[in-house]
Amino acid sequence: MEPIPDEMLDIANDFHSRLSKDQSEEYFDNFRKQQPCMSSFISSCIDFVKKDKNAWEKFIKLTTITVHGYKYYNLNLAEIKEDSASMMIKKWAAKLKANNPQMAIALFHKHKHELMQPHLFKMYDEWIFGTPEEPSLIKQKDQIYMYFTLINIVDLFNQEVLKLLPPDEK
């Protein structure tokens, strides 16, 4: 499976940058309606991030850019079922089991390569963890939950894409 190219993510980012806050939340709500199980999962992982307006807005934008980015494959992704999401959450919770936040972040960086979406994860890294020039203002706890949630979303979408791609494109 070919990764979503930077150009597609730039298009998605540009599209979402032009949306008002209300339009962005509406786009996110539409995603929730199309993927109710994933919506429930996202809510369980991320509800407390809503307390930090900056973190919540970044998370919504990253999620909508991710959803938009998967349009690159030109496939109609099926609704992800609860058993698939539950198995994925358990898989990543086991891989990312950490005793402290620094260890969790190190494990994210170690395992994100398995998902073969380098451009998405580069964007996540910059927006969630910041850069030397522009450090993140998001609390470390929120960073961890945001990243954990996004890793699961990407893995679930990748699995759905793989089911639909012709064998020579997998």
Side-chain angles (χ1 to χ4, degrees), residues 16-162:
H16 290 283
S17 293
R18 296 173 193 266
L19 298 178
S20 69
K21 182 182 174 208
D22 290 341
Q23 289 172 318
S24 185
E25 291 210 13
E26 183 180 334
Y27 191 94
F28 187 68
D29 287 341
N30 286 335
F31 161 72
R32 288 177 149 174
K33 290 173 189 167
Q34 293 168 358
Q35 294 288 349
C37 179
M38 284 188 71
S39 173
S40 175
F41 158 68
I42 289 169
S43 292
S44 68
C45 288
I46 213 81
D47 265 355
F48 69 90
V49 172
K50 287 182 180 178
K51 295 174 189 169
D52 179 340
K53 182 182 172 190
N54 177 47
W56 179 244
E57 288 176 4
K58 277 191 178 187
F59 178 75
I60 287 176
K61 190 167 183 179
L62 285 170
T63 302
T64 56
I65 290 171
T66 301
V67 170
H68 197 114
Y70 273 88
K71 291 181 179 182
Y72 167 73
Y73 297 106
N74 204 22
L75 300 168
N76 191 12
L77 299 180
E79 180 184 328
I80 295 170
K81 301 296 180 197
E82 189 172 340
D83 58 335
S84 297
S86 180
M87 285 182 358
M88 193 65 64
I89 294 163
K90 288 176 186 170
K91 169 185 149 182
W92 283 104
K95 281 186 178 194
L96 301 173
K97 189 173 186 177
N99 296 326
N100 62 59
Q102 292 303 95
M103 185 181 205
I105 292 168
L107 289 169
F108 288 144
H109 293 299
K110 176 182 175 190
H111 290 293
K112 68 185 179 186
H113 303 289
E114 297 171 23
L115 298 177
M116 306 300 291
Q117 292 292 353
H119 310 296
L120 270 176
F121 284 103
K122 179 178 181 255
M123 181 179 64
Y124 297 164
D125 288 347
E126 290 172 359
W127 286 34
I128 295 172
F129 299 120
T131 64
E133 300 81 30
E134 220 176 298
S136 177
L137 300 176
I138 300 170
K139 294 178 207 147
Q140 194 172 51
K141 173 185 73 165
D142 293 348
Q143 290 174 336
I144 291 167
Y145 280 101
M146 289 170 72
Y147 216 84
F148 177 79
T149 305
L150 290 164
I151 277 180
N152 278 276
I153 291 170
V154 169
D155 205 357
L156 285 162
F157 277 169
N158 279 356
Q159 295 306 313
E160 291 304 309
V161 166
L162 288 169

